[in-house]
Amino acid sequence: MKIVLAYSGGLDTSVILRWLQQNYDAQVVAFCADIGQEEELEGLEEKARRTGAAKCIIEDLREEFARDFVFPMFQAGAIYEGQYFLGTSIARPLIAKRMVEVARAEAANAIAHGATGKGNDQVRFELAAAALAPELRVIAQWREERFRKQFPGRTEMIAFAEANNIPVAASAAKPYSMDRNLLHISFESGTLEDPWFDASGPGARDMYKLSVSPEEAPDAPEYVELEFDQGNSIAVNGKPLSPLQVLQTLNKLGGKHGIGRVDIVENRFVGMKGRGVYETPGGAILHFAHRQIETLTMDREVMQLRDGLIPKYSALVYNGFWFSPEREALQALVAETQRDVTGTVRLKLYKGNVIVAGRKSSKSLYDPKIATMERDTGSTYDQNDATGFIRLNALRLKVRAGLKSRDSKSARKTKSASGRGD
């Protein structure tokens, strides 16, 4: 049997690699998608082979990740439950896509992942695999009773790794789980499972990788300009950049100023709540800037229509339905809404805050001649028209008020009559 394992070199997948060999008598091909883990990839191939992998495949998918996954999602204005920038969620469909392609190329019988049986990633990986390669078997160790008996928690996994000479970053002193890509880093489990634990305090000071705390950020603000074309950022401070380069540049700027730290209790797709801490410095800047250029260039009704779909779109990404027909249909609508989202946004970055400092666009729908509070010499907007506009919009409210008044009088008469009878 041959299995392609989504491999990161972390505690879970390192233990799983050895466990698959021992329990499935299988050749394991370790697949790692380079989507921005940076130093975490150093020595990964050697580590995979030492752990027992028959082969280790590492592919640079950073540009594809930024261009075909992150940017379309940001065009949609997606943010889950008003806080989460979906950094882990949006990475899974790309990893799954390449995993099934590698499995076919390697003539593998199955794919495997390290997602736990309580989280969202198991759903994301397996829904993507079902959409792209339904013939492949999916092995999910955490849903096997024998695996859970052997590893009831991370403490046992750490002990197994030590006993089998598998080097991992996790330890009993630092037990939280970390997942990194170009868009963000997520932290969960361990001490973070207590929602009262202050992840911004000294107890978590050494946890963060991409950003300084707002308190440690520079005392002087920094300005940055983002240029957009049809909803996608194409330049930063006048320098044309690819989607990958945009995120890399903004990550450095945002991290320097303590931007993009999020600590949330979110609703997982499997039904429970989970606590996650995230660093999304570049994504936080990009999401905010995109919204600002939309305010200048997007029609009101189009914006309200798209905004009404943000919760649905975000849930589709979060829940693993990236390759679903409904997400693709929504994406087509999003692309249409972005045709005129073109222009430049100037931002001020200061101690964890992203502040708009200017917007301009050749596609701007804002006309100062119409919006001015000074004397309007044009004929586009006649203030007298507002009288009839307000009167018509007030009609239903007046009718309802009259009905409520009649009902109130009737109720008082009934009460008075009842009182005389006593």
Side-chain angles (χ1 to χ4, degrees), residues 74-77 231 289-299 303 306-307 337-338 341 345:
F74 273 55
Q75 281 187 320
H290 177 255
R291 183 67 182 194
Q292 293 305 312
I293 197 62
E294 283 186 330
T295 64
L296 197 64
T297 60
M298 187 182 284
D299 175 80
M303 178 179 284
R306 195 284 312 273
D307 285 358
T337 69
Q338 300 295 297
V341 182
V345 178

Side-chain angles (χ1 to χ4, degrees), residues 49-118:
R49 291 188 177 279
R50 289 206 328 261
T51 307
K55 187 176 185 180
C56 181
I57 300 172
I58 303 173
E59 291 189 352
D60 186 351
L61 304 179
R62 293 175 300 167
E63 195 69 72
E64 182 180 357
F65 179 48
R67 181 190 65 239
D68 297 340
F69 292 81
V70 176
F71 270 39
M73 181 180 73
F74 273 55
Q75 281 187 320
I79 185 166
Y80 184 68
E81 296 186 337
Q83 297 184 83
Y84 175 38
F85 292 107
L86 296 162
T88 295
S89 313
I90 193 60
R92 297 320 187 214
L94 173 57
I95 297 171
K97 170 178 171 287
R98 286 300 298 142
M99 278 182 70
V100 299
E101 291 169 352
V102 168
R104 285 168 171 164
E106 295 290 327
N109 313 89
I111 61 172
H113 57 77
T116 73
K118 289 186 175 181

Side-chain angles (χ1 to χ4, degrees), residues 163-380:
N164 287 270
N165 297 314
I166 301 172
V168 292
S171 67
K174 191 180 287 186
Y176 55 79
S177 175
M178 184 179 78
D179 181 77
R180 179 175 182 176
N181 62 47
L182 178 66
L183 183 55
H184 87 162
I185 296 184
S186 68
F187 305 94
E188 59 183 6
S189 81
T191 55
L192 299 175
E193 290 180 353
D194 177 6
W196 190 252
F197 175 76
D198 183 4
S200 68
R205 186 186 187 95
D206 297 330
M207 182 176 71
Y208 298 95
K209 304 292 183 183
L210 297 180
S211 62
V212 302
S213 68
E215 295 91 338
E216 295 172 329
D219 292 329
E222 182 172 357
Y223 289 83
V224 59
E225 290 188 4
L226 277 69
E227 184 178 342
F228 286 86
D229 180 55
Q230 296 186 50
N232 289 320
S233 179
I234 60 171
V236 177
N237 289 332
K239 182 179 180 181
L241 299 173
S242 71
L244 168 61
Q245 292 169 329
V246 167
L247 285 174
Q248 288 175 326
T249 300
L250 296 181
N251 274 335
K252 290 179 181 178
L253 285 170
K256 174 183 175 182
H257 291 277
I259 291 164
R261 290 189 177 187
V262 177
D263 180 346
I264 62 175
V265 175
E266 66 203 57
N267 289 296
R268 292 179 180 171
F269 190 25
V270 293
M272 70 184 75
K273 290 185 181 289
R275 196 267 187 96
V277 178
Y278 304 99
E279 288 182 276
T280 319
I285 295 172
L286 185 60
H287 188 275
F288 183 86
H290 177 255
R291 183 67 182 194
Q292 293 305 312
I293 197 62
E294 283 186 330
T295 64
L296 197 64
T297 60
M298 187 182 284
D299 175 80
R300 180 187 70 182
E301 298 302 317
V302 172
M303 178 179 284
Q304 290 180 1
L305 176 63
R306 195 284 312 273
D307 285 358
L309 296 170
I310 287 177
K312 177 62 176 179
Y313 185 104
S314 302
L316 288 173
V317 176
Y318 186 85
N319 295 340
F321 289 96
W322 180 261
F323 294 111
S324 67
E326 62 269 33
R327 200 283 307 174
E328 293 171 356
L330 285 180
Q331 199 70 57
L333 184 145
V334 166
E336 176 65 21
T337 69
Q338 300 295 297
R339 284 194 306 171
D340 294 328
V341 182
T342 297
T344 302
V345 178
R346 184 173 61 225
L347 304 172
K348 179 166 66 173
L349 313 179
Y350 182 66
K351 289 193 176 296
N353 295 292
V354 185
I355 304 163
V356 65
R359 323 158 185 82
K360 61 181 180 180
S361 173
S362 60
K363 303 279 189 177
S364 175
L365 297 176
Y366 172 78
D367 188 339
K369 294 180 180 177
I370 298 175
T372 181
M373 300 298 280
E374 303 298 330
R375 181 182 179 186
D376 184 2
T377 58
S379 58
T380 304

